[in-house]
Amino acid sequence: MRKRSKSREHALKVLYAMDVRKDPSSDCLIDFFETYDVKSKEITQFTTSLVEGVEKQLKDIDRIIKKYAKNWEINRMAVIDRNILRLAAFELLYDDNIPPKVSINEAIELAKKCGDQNSGKFVNGILDKIKKEEIDKQ
């Protein structure tokens, strides 16, 4: 698995923990890195930057997701889907170094791996709308 893909998977686990435990990223990152032996500094740094970025922009990210998730409330979504969307939306909206297609494809793969049988389609649909309306129209 590529380093950035692994970082996204780690970030998703930390975001999930933050969401369920209602703890700040600093606590969840410490717990994660104490539990899992991540040897790559590059993976550790990218994971941390993703998690902290989502936490910093969470209100805006959730507002955008809610705007395009027709008939879905953020708090009613599956925890895993909600956090995959947050992670990918952060990349789409705040990281110009990652092509939108890469962020969306990585999110779909995470959803297929970690979510239920409909998660990939659900995540793809919302992220595609965000890309078309928020990114392509700029």
Side-chain angles (χ1 to χ4, degrees):
M1 182 180 284
R2 294 184 325 252
K3 288 182 179 181
R4 289 212 160 190
S5 296
K6 193 65 171 169
S7 296
R8 287 180 181 94
E9 190 174 307
H10 291 338
L12 177 59
K13 291 174 184 177
V14 176
L15 291 170
Y16 187 99
M18 289 168 57
D19 199 357
V20 172
R21 292 171 27 184
K22 307 297 184 216
D23 286 343
S25 64
S26 56
D27 292 350
C28 291
L29 282 164
I30 288 168
D31 289 348
F32 180 83
F33 289 123
E34 284 179 354
T35 302
Y36 298 97
D37 187 24
V38 181
K39 295 183 183 348
S40 169
K41 187 174 183 176
E42 186 179 341
I43 290 174
T44 302
Q45 288 175 339
F46 191 56
T47 300
T48 301
S49 70
L50 290 172
V51 170
E52 290 176 346
V54 170
E55 181 180 50
K56 181 179 178 184
Q57 302 298 337
L58 187 60
K59 286 183 183 177
D60 192 47
I61 290 168
D62 281 357
R63 180 186 58 78
I64 297 288
I65 291 170
K66 185 176 180 178
K67 181 177 175 181
Y68 297 104
K70 300 293 183 204
N71 302 318
W72 279 95
E73 291 295 321
I74 294 267
N75 62 343
R76 300 287 313 259
M77 291 177 185
V79 178
I80 201 75
D81 293 350
R82 175 173 56 237
N83 285 291
I84 291 169
L85 287 169
R86 286 172 171 166
L87 179 60
F90 170 74
E91 288 187 18
L92 287 171
L93 299 167
Y94 298 100
D95 194 335
D96 295 334
N97 297 318
I98 302 171
K101 186 175 181 176
V102 171
S103 297
I104 292 171
N105 286 339
E106 290 279 335
I108 293 167
E109 290 306 312
L110 274 175
K112 288 178 181 177
K113 181 177 181 179
C114 303
D116 68 21
Q117 64 184 12
N118 298 315
S119 292
K121 291 177 185 175
F122 177 71
V123 165
N124 183 40
I126 294 171
L127 293 176
D128 189 54
K129 289 176 190 174
I130 292 171
K131 179 187 173 292
K132 287 178 181 171
E133 296 298 320
E134 301 291 328
I135 308 302
D136 294 345
K137 289 192 174 181
Q138 288 181 354

